[in-house]
Amino acid sequence: MPNPILVVKDLTKKYGDNIIFHDINMTVNEGDTDVIIGPSGTGKSTLLRCINLLTKANSGQIWLDGEEITAPGYDEDEVRQHVGMVFQNFLLFNHLTALDNVKIGLSKVKKLKDDQAEAKAMQELDRVGLADRAHHYPGQLSGGQQQRVAIARALAMDPRIMLFDEPTSALDPELIGEVLEVMRKLALDGMTMLVVTHEMGFAREVSDRIIFLEKGSIVEEGPPEVLFYTPKFERTREFLWKITELYGKKESDS
Amino acid sequence: MGSVFVILQRFLPEFLKGTAVTLELTAVGILLGFALGLTLALMRAYGSKPLRIIAIGFIELFRGTPLLVQLFLIYYGLPSLGLTLSQSVSAYLALGFNSAAYQAEYIRGAIQSIGESQMTAGRAIGLSRWQTIRFIIMPQALRLVIPAWSNEPISLLKTSAVVFLIAVQDLMARGKRAASITYNPIGSYLAIAVIYLVMVFAMSALLKWLERKTKIPGFEMETEAA
């Protein structure tokens, strides 16, 4: 039986009269990698931010590991420890070395002892292949390396699920591959992931399910082979192939 | 011009005492101003509405009125409200409060240049709002603020000269005394001007050193762009 890690029910977000998305329902099962695709401005990023409680949804409910995290009075900081987030622009802490970026959550949130935090942080950097860059500052790392440190920083908290918000969109084409490689490895290791991306190669190869979001609601969802070849709606196929063509070149380079 | 050296020689012990007072006034003013200015900047950037209004009120009041008026209000005005302060305490408070208003604005500017995204990143790994401010935002803001903030100690060192008007025996007061004893205002004031200049140079060098010392490789004002 699949074990649902994340359940989203009737989630709606609007700014004033402007509806970002409405009545979103989705479930992400343990060990799965689900990919959200859709044209820009359809609320994909906002959806991830709502799941992480960085933005408050107007209505609807979210369960993480069977607990309703949208319940009134639920400890948001506690939730975010269990939900890893990777941003489009990396958002590393610029004044800290790669190692300290990964370590700070372990020391200040998990309250690990310094040597334990350091060992664990080093282990996570090693996992993304950057142990040799531990003492570099973000400004001394390439975009791809910065994003891998950001992934290590999120992984260090031992999250139940990892959210990726267009993790390769801000990268030069030649740097995309190294980040996708780390994500691929994570997926194979059984990490539960929800990924917003335009990387169709990644979606096709790695994902268990693709969710097509347009104009604030889910148009269609299913396994990649179904969405690519036998989708229910013609516009799903159109969008998928258009994106594949646009971004396909980058992917084959990497 | 030779008279400058004659006066420097004759009044050197006096001038050195005055220099010590001026440096002390500047140091206390900067430290008090920093502690209060940091608090005001945090209130203004992150506080609730009432706290923001208090901070803005304080900042505008002390930036919008002359330091000398503030000094006279504290020294001559407060006694009529039953609070009599010594000359030096009045000078410390006036310089500290005045400097706090300016330092608060420098610090707030730096906080704003860090932007919301670092807050988001901090919250995303489970740090609380205050933890993020303390461990993520402020260490960056306080580094970024140094070049602009460096004006403040230098400016305060020079403006502290107004305190001679409430008879605090700073360098300015000693210079004035030398002028009235020797009937040589040019020589006297040039002499203390030289001493002020030396202090300013020394302080600039110290601040440049601080800026270099705290610099982080690859970390510039471009934080928001990432």
Side-chain angles (χ1 to χ4, degrees):
Chain A
M1 272 296 283
N3 174 27
I5 295 286
L6 176 77
V7 177
V8 173
K9 185 160 177 280
D10 296 332
L11 204 68
T12 297
K13 174 68 189 174
K14 49 191 172 185
Y15 291 110
D17 290 336
N18 186 14
I19 296 172
I20 308 298
F21 54 77
H22 61 90
D23 303 301
I24 299 285
N25 289 287
M26 64 163 83
T27 301
V28 182
N29 289 319
E30 184 160 28
D32 277 6
T33 297
D34 290 0
V35 166
I36 301 177
I37 58 164
S40 59
T42 44
K44 295 169 304 212
S45 298
T46 313
L47 178 59
L48 288 192
R49 292 175 67 102
C50 284
I51 290 171
N52 204 7
L53 305 183
L54 285 168
T55 303
K56 260 203 166 47
N58 296 77
S59 60
Q61 291 156 293
I62 303 168
W63 284 266
L64 183 69
D65 248 344
E67 283 194 56
E68 194 198 334
I69 59 174
T70 41
Y74 205 90
D75 184 356
E76 296 176 14
D77 293 332
E78 171 76 19
V79 170
R80 295 195 197 99
Q81 288 180 47
H82 304 297
V83 181
M85 180 110 178
V86 175
F87 302 91
Q88 187 176 349
N89 292 329
F90 332 134
L91 302 188
L92 290 182
F93 307 131
N94 295 307
H95 62 303
L96 298 177
T97 60
L99 183 66
D100 286 337
N101 261 278
V102 183
K103 197 172 134 186
I104 192 162
L106 297 168
S107 320
K108 304 299 180 195
V109 180
K110 294 221 176 215
K111 315 271 185 208
L112 291 190
K113 284 207 194 83
D114 194 66
D115 52 337
Q116 285 174 308
E118 180 133 346
K120 167 93 171 143
M122 207 60 202
Q123 196 185 320
E124 297 299 342
L125 277 181
D126 196 36
R127 198 163 157 191
V128 299
L130 286 174
D132 60 330
R133 292 285 183 277
H135 300 291
H136 286 56
Y137 285 94
Q140 298 170 310
L141 298 173
S142 73
Q145 290 171 334
Q146 288 189 53
Q147 191 60 298
R148 283 150 68 198
V149 173
I151 292 172
R153 177 176 71 180
L155 286 175
M157 305 306 285
D158 289 324
R160 297 293 286 142
I161 183 169
M162 288 278 284
L163 308 178
F164 291 84
D165 185 7
E166 302 204 26
T168 56
S169 300
L171 293 172
D172 290 334
E174 74 271 20
L175 301 177
I176 290 174
E178 59 186 85
V179 172
L180 290 181
E181 193 45 49
V182 166
M183 290 170 64
R184 232 176 239 130
K185 214 172 77 190
L186 277 182
L188 290 177
D189 287 350
M191 175 59 74
T192 310
M193 314 207 291
L194 184 58
V195 184
V196 172
T197 188
H198 294 304
E199 296 297 335
M200 288 304 116
F202 175 83
R204 223 178 335 177
E205 265 177 65
V206 180
S207 79
D208 296 282
R209 194 168 48 137
I210 296 178
I211 301 162
F212 178 38
L213 201 66
E214 192 183 48
K215 290 179 189 145
S217 59
I218 295 176
V219 175
E220 189 168 356
E221 58 180 294
E225 57 279 10
V226 173
L227 258 73
F228 270 95
Y229 298 104
T230 54
K232 267 184 265 169
F233 298 99
E234 184 51 32
R235 70 176 194 277
T236 307
R237 191 215 303 271
E238 268 171 29
F239 180 80
L240 276 170
W241 288 104
K242 195 172 76 192
I243 293 293
T244 305
E245 206 170 292
L246 278 174
Y247 288 82
K249 287 207 181 70
K250 283 186 189 176
E251 176 67 359
S252 58
D253 282 349
S254 57
Chain B
M1 278 316 223
S3 64
V4 173
F5 296 102
V6 175
I7 284 175
L8 264 180
Q9 213 170 16
R10 178 170 164 197
F11 289 93
L12 192 62
E14 282 260 315
F15 287 168
L16 287 180
K17 274 187 217 149
T19 303
V21 172
T22 291
L23 286 174
E24 195 179 297
L25 284 166
T26 309
V28 173
I30 283 296
L31 290 177
L32 177 62
F34 181 73
L36 189 57
L38 181 62
T39 311
L40 289 166
L42 288 170
M43 282 165 68
R44 191 162 177 184
Y46 298 111
S48 58
K49 199 166 180 196
L51 286 180
R52 280 208 308 278
I53 290 172
I54 292 170
I56 292 171
F58 184 100
I59 291 166
E60 293 307 323
L61 191 68
F62 279 90
R63 288 203 314 166
T65 54
L67 173 60
L68 192 53
V69 173
Q70 295 160 16
L71 183 67
F72 278 20
L73 271 174
I74 290 171
Y75 184 63
Y76 296 115
L78 286 185
S80 67
L81 300 174
L83 182 62
T84 306
L85 299 170
S86 72
Q87 288 140 329
S88 15
V89 170
S90 301
Y92 291 153
L93 289 184
L95 292 172
F97 286 176
N98 188 271
S99 181
Y102 286 95
Q103 294 192 52
E105 287 297 87
Y106 286 129
I107 296 169
R108 185 177 69 99
I111 289 174
Q112 278 175 345
S113 78
I114 303 288
E116 263 310 293
S117 57
Q118 289 282 308
M119 176 63 88
T120 306
R123 302 305 302 276
I125 57 166
L127 291 169
S128 71
R129 188 172 149 84
W130 278 108
Q131 280 182 316
T132 309
I133 292 170
R134 182 168 157 212
F135 298 118
I136 308 300
I137 311 269
M138 291 321 289
Q140 296 184 52
L142 291 180
R143 282 181 173 94
L144 285 180
V145 82
I146 294 172
W149 174 86
S150 293
N151 293 320
E152 186 56 24
I154 289 167
S155 156
L156 194 69
L157 176 84
K158 291 178 292 177
T159 50
S160 73
V162 300
V163 300
F164 89 97
L165 286 164
I166 59 165
V168 173
Q169 291 303 303
D170 73 334
L171 184 57
M172 178 65 198
R174 313 273 177 164
K176 193 169 184 315
R177 210 174 94 82
S180 59
I181 291 171
T182 59
Y183 299 108
N184 182 351
I186 287 199
S188 305
Y189 293 126
L190 275 178
I192 62 165
V194 168
I195 299 175
Y196 275 111
L197 202 58
V198 170
M199 284 195 280
V200 168
F201 274 131
M203 196 174 276
S204 296
L206 189 72
L207 290 164
K208 278 269 175 299
W209 173 83
L210 182 69
E211 194 181 326
R212 270 202 313 277
K213 185 90 183 159
T214 56
K215 191 164 166 49
I216 281 173
F219 177 54
E220 307 291 340
M221 283 300 279
E222 63 189 7
T223 37
E224 185 63 340

